[in-house]
Amino acid sequence: MQQSILQYHGLTKDPFSNGAKATFLNTGALQQRAALLVELCALTPRPIIVSGEEGAGKSSFLNAIAIALPSPYVSILWKARDDSTSDELFTHLAASLGLNAAQQTTEELAEAVRAQLVRMGAAGTIAVLLVDDADRLADEVFDQLLELGYTDEGWLRLVLTGHPDLTAHAVSRRAGSGPDWLPHVELPALNVDEVADYLHLRMADAGATGDSPFTGELCRHFQTRARGNPGELNRIATEYLRAQFRRTPTPIGIEADRRWNLPLIGGVAAGVIILAGSLVALMGSDSDAPAPPELPPLELPKREVPPPKPA
C-alpha cells in the first residue's frame, strides 16, 4: 500500500499484509483446533495435516502453534518452497536441534538428525516439525520428510499445512508402507463478528485510532464476499481503503455483489464433524498405544481487540 494512502488513513504500516508474521486473531474456533492438534500429537505419531484454501490463515495459525506448543514438545518451523531441497531440510533440522551442519553430506546430516531425535525422545522431549506450504515441495523432498515422520517410535512429529488435497497426496506417496488415512485439521472461515474484530484489530495494529472505517454493514458484506477467508478479506479491505483515498466509488459496492451471498453454516458444521471424527478414529485405532502425557492447556497468542467495535 502506498505511503500516501497510509498517511490519509493515519496508518504507520500496511494493515492488510499477508504472511506468517501478520497480526493473528485468536478466535474460539481456532483455539478449538489448536487444542485438537496438541491432542493428536499426544495420541499418534502419524503426520498431521492442517488444510485450508489459499488465504485461510494457515501460516499465521502455524506460527502461533510454534510459539505456544507446550512441553514436552520442541517446535521447529520450516517454510517450504517450490525449490526447497533435501539438503536444506536436513540443514535446517540440524541447526534447530543444535547440531553442526558444516561440511556434511545430506546423508550424513540425515543420520545425525535421526540420532539426535532418538536421544531427545529417550530424554522425554519430542520435536515437532511444522512445515508451512508442504504442498509446494517436490515429491523427492516430500517423501524424505514423510519418512522422518512415519516411525512407530515417534521420533519426530510432523504438522504439514497445505491445500485440502494434501492428505490424499501424503497417503498416496506412502502407499503400501503407511496408513491409508492421516489426522486432519481444517481451518474454519471467519463469521461476521470475527470479520469485524479482524478488520478492526488489523487497523489498530497499524496505528489507526478512533472509529473503524468498516461499519457493521460493510463487515457483513465483506464476510459474504470473502466467504470468511482472511486472505481475501485483506484484498477487499485494501481496495476499500484505496477507494476512500481516491474519493471514488468503491469497486466492491454492496448492491453489485449480492450474488456472492452464499451460505457458510453447512461448511463450518461439516468441518467440526470431520474434526470430531478424526479424534474418535484415532482413539479407537491407537487404543494399544501408551497413555498420552498430561499436557497443559494450549494458549495461543492473544490480542485484545481495542474499542470501539463497528456498529
Side-chain angles (χ1 to χ4, degrees), residues 9-232:
H9 291 287
L11 304 173
T12 58
K13 63 179 181 178
D14 185 349
F16 298 111
S17 60
N18 294 309
K21 299 300 178 71
T23 304
F24 177 75
L25 178 65
N26 178 19
T27 67
L30 288 178
Q31 186 72 43
Q32 175 199 44
R33 282 154 177 78
L36 176 61
L37 192 150
V38 174
E39 289 294 331
L40 291 172
C41 282
L43 286 168
T44 177
R46 296 177 182 179
I48 301 167
I49 307 297
V50 177
S51 72
E53 300 291 344
E54 183 178 355
K58 299 183 294 294
S59 297
S60 297
F61 179 74
L62 207 64
N63 193 62
I65 291 291
I67 295 172
L69 205 61
S71 175
Y73 301 112
V74 173
S75 60
I76 302 170
L77 189 61
W78 187 47
K79 177 75 170 179
R81 308 184 315 275
D82 295 333
D83 59 349
S84 294
T85 64
S86 299
D87 185 65
E88 289 178 7
L89 167 63
F90 287 110
T91 298
H92 181 78
L93 277 172
S96 301
L97 297 174
L99 301 174
N100 183 8
Q103 297 181 340
Q104 294 194 61
T105 66
T106 300
E107 291 74 17
E108 291 170 338
L109 277 176
E111 185 58 35
V113 164
R114 291 188 180 93
Q116 179 71 346
L117 291 172
V118 171
R119 287 191 292 267
M120 291 173 62
T125 301
I126 300 174
V128 181
L129 177 60
L130 304 114
V131 183
D132 194 15
D133 289 337
D135 51 343
R136 299 181 61 180
L137 292 171
D139 286 344
E140 177 185 357
V141 183
F142 192 67
D143 290 347
Q144 290 187 311
L145 182 65
L146 291 178
E147 186 178 350
L148 281 173
Y150 271 97
T151 60
D152 294 334
E153 296 84 358
W155 300 331
L156 178 70
R157 298 292 198 271
L158 286 180
V159 178
L160 312 176
T161 72
H163 54 68
D165 295 332
L166 182 58
T167 300
H169 178 62
V171 170
S172 69
R173 298 304 301 177
R174 299 288 296 184
S177 59
D180 58 1
W181 68 275
L182 293 174
H184 176 204
V185 176
E186 184 175 2
L187 294 189
L190 299 177
N191 62 33
V192 174
D193 289 337
E194 291 165 350
V195 165
D197 285 344
Y198 176 84
L199 295 174
H200 188 46
L201 177 59
R202 282 293 192 112
M203 291 290 289
D205 191 58
T209 58
D211 294 338
S212 170
F214 304 107
T215 65
E217 185 180 12
L218 274 176
C219 290
R220 287 188 290 273
H221 172 59
F222 284 7
Q223 193 273 345
T224 299
R225 182 172 181 187
R227 306 180 187 182
N229 181 291
E232 186 63 12

Side-chain angles (χ1 to χ4, degrees), residues 224-246:
T224 299
R225 182 172 181 187
R227 306 180 187 182
N229 181 291
E232 186 63 12
L233 283 171
N234 291 343
R235 187 189 68 79
I236 295 173
T238 297
E239 286 302 310
Y240 181 78
L241 294 181
R242 286 173 176 163
Q244 282 194 318
F245 170 74
R246 294 191 299 264

